[in-house]
Amino acid sequence: MSTIAALTKPQILNLYRQYIRTAKDFTSYNFREYFLRKARRDFRLYKDQIKTEEDALAKFNMIREELAILKRQSIISEMYTFDKLVVEPIKTPK
Amino acid sequence: MLRHTTTRLLNNISTRNAINRTTIAAALRVIPTRKSLATSATKSKAKHDEDIDDFKLVVHTSADSKPAASKKTAADASSPGSNALKYAYQERSGFGTRPIYLDVQATTPTDPRVLDQMLKFFTGLYGNPHSNTHSYGWETNNEIEKARENVAKVIGANPKEIIFTSGATESNNMALKGVARFYKKTKNHIITTRTEHKCVLEAARAMKNEGYDITFLNVNEQGLIDLKELEKAIRPETCLVSVMAVNNEIGVMQPIKEIGSICRKHKVFFHTDAAQAYGKIPLDVNEMNIDLMSVSSHKIYGPKGVGAIYVRRRPRVRLEPIISGGGQERGLRSGTLSPPLVCGFGEAARLVREEYEADSEHIKKLSKKLTDGLLSIEQTTLNGSPIHHFPGCVNISFAYVEGESLLMALRDIALSSGSACTSASLEPSYVLHALGKDDALAHSSIRFGIGRFTTEEEIDYVIKAIKERVEFLRELSPLWEMVKEGIDLNSIEWSGH
Ligand SMILES: Cc1ncc(COP(=O)(O)O)c(C=O)c1O
């Protein structure tokens, strides 16, 4: 167990980066913004909420599972897209 | 296969000018193949992103899906209001065109995590959850029971007390009609309130036709019922009290716990329509002595077309089923359950518990910002109690502005006027009437719904847009001019009326 339990800082940062990158792939403005907000909150609370190595691992795995869901769903969101919202700037192709 | 269909589509829509053939042809070339999707999954897709962007030209938001109402206003464009409408149509260049969604009391967007749970029932887990002779049935049934547990946990219920239905409308009908009919030999009286959702009011009216006596409790100007009046209304023949937890138009929260203890004291069943409350405010069926509760999935980021009714087992609540058949759901609601819908609902319920604190905090913050921003416009009022109030539903009256014109002028924000469920009619809201608001004020009310996916940027946009357009519409109003000059409108005798 000790090898898994000792989560390293780079491991956590890597998960965080992947989560953010995946959240940004959502074509829906509201979902994208929500998961970005959630990522910031989850990782901000990460340190405070966690007391034991078990907690840390459980939380890590929970986020990792959610990341897998987001990966699938962001692809679906790319297949079914809609017009951009009135608050969203339209990117002009460079 | 996909290409074939698209080619056919191409031929069919050649007459439409919104999307031209060349765009379609271009889009046809970028239909993602399994390989390209896999690439996108592995994120080596800088170029691929652009391809996918083109893909959206083929489908989904159709450019001419404007509602009939907009055609009407276009025809009206010769009237003096046309300036306001032209102003309303003005689009910010460089930005999208799809409106901001602020109507979460009508329905909420489906959370992607919910959809992820649902998909497997369309791709492989297709067994009938009631088939108990083979593994196809068992595996689906397992998922259904997990969902039932998640739905029950939100309100502190036992999973056995949850009956899945098609939504809160069905649950409300079941509660009112089912309980009343079961106890009809000894009891014939139902108590409810004037501000309930249409489906409770109509179900009560239907029971009136069946010979039951109905008491509709009044509410005060805050939208709250009087507990003493409720207690006085209870008779020996009363079988059911039905009071909603959170009002769908004004967000007022009734004192559910107090009502529960009154009902328990008089041994009357207590039903609450919690469609707008479930997962959003703390609810506990035991602590609050609730005997029946209606909930709906699509108000908590789940799929539409599914909901549940909580039916207490101890002391047991008996009700006559409305739908007879194979005896599913403890015989109270026959018919094969829809596993994707039920499990989507279950996941939505799980999430609503997990995200409770974050969602509440977010909604509260945005609600405060919106309310402060809008109430800083002169002659505006918040409808309903500001204290016993769910912050995600903000109902505001803009005096001297007609609600419907304001909605027309706010085409970039999806909102609903006070008269929520009958948005096509010009009838002012019966809920606001029940609060004692006059027709004019009821007509000038708008409901703003804030949810999990609303952003601060959207709220800022909305505050600015409403400020500008209320001001603009008031400039056009002769009444407003008189108010500005200090004329008391009530002192004027209107003639020719
Ligand atoms: C308070 C209330 N009750 C019942 C309903 C109806 O719910 P459903 O759409 O699930 O039938 C709604 C939604 O419109 C509601 O707000």
Side-chain angles (χ1 to χ4, degrees):
Chain A
M1 277 304 278
S2 65
T3 48
I4 326 169
L7 285 173
T8 60
K9 206 167 176 185
Q11 269 178 308
I12 296 167
L13 273 180
N14 181 35
L15 182 66
Y16 178 66
R17 265 193 228 105
Q18 275 201 59
Y19 194 105
I20 296 269
R21 217 184 304 136
T22 314
K24 282 186 178 159
D25 283 340
F26 274 92
T27 56
S28 148
Y29 163 83
N30 295 89
F31 294 158
R32 191 168 63 233
E33 293 292 318
Y34 171 75
F35 288 111
L36 287 173
R37 180 158 52 86
K38 182 170 191 300
R40 274 180 238 121
R41 163 170 53 91
D42 277 359
F43 285 89
R44 185 161 26 83
L45 292 178
Y46 199 90
K47 270 190 259 137
D48 314 342
Q49 281 177 349
I50 282 151
K51 300 278 177 283
T52 65
E53 284 198 340
E54 260 167 40
D55 280 0
L57 192 63
K59 183 83 185 162
F60 187 84
N61 285 334
M62 216 171 91
I63 299 179
R64 202 159 62 173
E65 257 169 55
E66 192 162 273
L67 175 61
I69 294 174
L70 295 198
K71 282 191 173 174
R72 292 194 288 273
Q73 291 302 313
S74 60
I75 294 170
I76 289 179
S77 134
E78 285 172 339
M79 289 190 279
Y80 298 87
T81 58
F82 301 87
D83 290 340
K84 291 211 180 301
L85 294 194
V86 292
V87 287
E88 270 184 288
I90 297 168
K91 272 183 244 130
T92 40
K94 274 162 230 132
Chain B
M1 180 56 203
L2 188 55
R3 266 157 205 278
H4 177 71
T5 325
T6 320
T7 320
R8 244 193 355 224
L9 190 72
L10 181 66
N11 293 331
N12 285 347
I13 61 175
S14 58
T15 47
R16 277 180 33 184
N17 49 12
I19 306 171
N20 64 38
R21 274 169 147 270
T22 0
T23 352
I24 301 272
L28 192 59
R29 285 194 295 274
V30 299
I31 285 175
T33 59
R34 178 183 285 274
K35 186 158 151 277
S36 66
L37 284 178
T39 342
S40 102
T42 54
K43 305 292 163 228
S44 59
K45 53 173 210 161
K47 181 190 172 294
H48 187 72
D49 258 352
E50 286 162 24
D51 287 353
I52 294 274
D53 268 355
D54 292 348
F55 187 50
K56 85 168 179 204
L57 293 173
V58 196
V59 262
H60 311 134
T61 349
S62 65
D64 50 19
S65 68
K66 302 259 160 64
S70 70
K71 299 218 175 73
K72 199 169 67 197
T73 49
D76 285 346
S78 56
S79 67
S82 65
N83 281 336
L85 291 171
K86 223 182 274 157
Y87 184 74
Y89 291 155
Q90 180 184 317
E91 280 166 10
R92 277 208 295 178
S93 65
F95 287 85
T97 51
R98 204 162 156 75
I100 291 171
Y101 190 74
L102 278 196
D103 200 13
V104 298
Q105 275 71 39
T107 192
T108 51
T110 311
D111 193 301
R113 291 166 290 183
V114 169
L115 177 63
D116 197 69
Q117 279 295 311
M118 293 171 68
L119 284 169
K120 59 178 184 263
F121 298 97
F122 294 107
T123 53
L125 284 184
Y126 56 81
N128 184 325
H130 313 296
S131 300
N132 52 16
T133 52
H134 50 70
S135 60
Y136 283 83
W138 301 331
E139 60 193 14
T140 321
N141 189 45
N142 267 344
E143 297 290 323
I144 297 260
E145 293 313 315
K146 265 192 248 161
R148 201 186 299 280
E149 204 173 313
N150 281 326
V151 171
K153 265 191 197 154
V154 177
I155 51 171
N158 184 313
K160 289 184 184 136
E161 298 173 310
I162 300 294
I163 308 291
F164 287 114
T165 63
S166 66
T169 300
E170 185 186 333
S171 302
N172 285 336
N173 273 273
M174 238 170 113
L176 268 86
K177 297 178 180 171
V179 171
R181 284 177 188 157
F182 190 91
Y183 294 98
K184 68 167 171 263
K185 288 224 176 75
T186 48
K187 297 179 188 260
N188 68 352
H189 179 226
I190 299 171
I191 301 173
T192 183
T193 78
R194 289 197 187 283
T195 55
E196 294 296 309
H197 190 264
K198 267 273 150 59
C199 59
V200 171
L201 295 178
E202 289 299 313
R205 223 178 56 177
M207 296 320 285
K208 199 167 189 158
N209 293 341
E210 287 187 26
Y212 293 81
D213 206 6
I214 318 285
T215 301
F216 292 99
L217 297 174
N218 285 314
V219 295
N220 60 17
E221 72 285 356
Q222 304 263 298
L224 294 160
I225 63 161
D226 181 347
L227 294 173
K228 288 203 196 75
E229 201 181 316
L230 165 69
E231 193 155 11
K232 256 191 279 169
I234 296 177
R235 319 172 187 160
E237 312 83 60
T238 309
C239 59
L240 188 73
V241 170
S242 177
V243 179
M244 75 199 318
V246 170
N247 185 276
N248 52 310
E249 281 190 33
I250 51 177
V252 166
M253 307 194 292
Q254 299 290 353
I256 293 300
K257 190 170 176 188
E258 287 77 4
I259 299 172
S261 62
I262 291 175
C263 292
R264 187 55 59 91
K265 191 170 101 194
H266 294 274
K267 297 205 165 57
V268 177
F269 291 131
F270 173 37
H271 165 252
T272 182
D273 175 358
Q276 300 289 350
Y278 179 84
K280 295 176 185 164
I281 64 168
L283 286 175
D284 186 299
V285 288
N286 294 316
E287 193 194 309
M288 298 178 167
N289 291 311
I290 296 166
D291 297 307
L292 300 117
M293 184 194 293
S294 305
V295 302
S296 179
S297 147
H298 70 107
K299 314 281 183 191
I300 58 159
Y301 316 97
K304 295 164 193 42
V306 63
I309 182 167
Y310 157 82
V311 181
R312 179 175 288 285
R313 297 209 313 158
R314 250 176 245 119
R316 188 155 173 216
V317 179
R318 314 282 301 263
L319 57 162
E320 200 165 280
I322 294 178
I323 296 178
S324 323
Q328 291 93 345
E329 298 296 283
R330 284 166 54 199
L332 292 176
R333 209 281 189 176
S334 289
T336 303
L337 287 174
S338 163
L341 296 184
V342 167
C343 296
F345 181 20
E347 177 67 5
R350 191 186 69 76
L351 287 170
V352 100
R353 231 161 65 90
E354 200 176 288
E355 307 284 354
Y356 183 79
E357 269 166 45
D359 281 354
S360 304
E361 195 188 316
H362 178 69
I363 290 170
K364 210 155 144 192
K365 182 177 128 200
L366 295 190
S367 173
K368 179 162 178 359
K369 184 162 200 183
L370 180 72
T371 313
D372 290 351
L374 295 183
L375 291 182
S376 74
I377 305 172
E378 50 185 326
Q379 302 263 14
T380 54
T381 42
L382 179 74
N383 292 313
S385 164
I387 302 149
H388 304 277
H389 181 245
F390 167 61
C393 178
V394 178
N395 190 310
I396 292 187
S397 289
F398 301 89
Y400 312 107
V401 177
E402 225 247 305
E404 307 281 334
S405 338
L406 186 53
L407 287 185
M408 284 301 169
L410 287 168
R411 293 272 302 286
D412 46 355
I413 309 170
L415 287 164
S416 160
S417 68
S419 46
C421 52
T422 43
S423 50
S425 86
L426 290 175
E427 190 110 328
S429 148
Y430 64 88
V431 173
L432 293 174
H433 262 179
L435 263 64
K437 305 277 172 190
D438 62 25
D439 267 7
L441 219 52
H443 260 309
S444 66
S445 302
I446 291 189
R447 176 183 73 183
F448 300 83
I450 301 163
R452 180 183 288 167
F453 297 107
T454 311
T455 70
E456 189 157 358
E457 191 181 12
E458 289 177 317
I459 295 297
D460 289 336
Y461 180 100
V462 170
I463 295 172
K464 182 164 171 286
I466 301 258
K467 272 192 179 155
E468 282 171 7
R469 291 175 220 175
V470 164
E471 205 172 291
F472 195 86
L473 287 172
R474 279 178 175 170
E475 300 267 292
L476 299 175
S477 156
L479 288 181
W480 181 245
E481 210 170 296
M482 285 155 83
V483 171
K484 281 290 189 191
E485 283 165 13
I487 301 172
D488 179 6
L489 293 181
N490 292 325
S491 69
I492 299 172
E493 288 199 19
W494 306 97
S495 58
H497 213 55

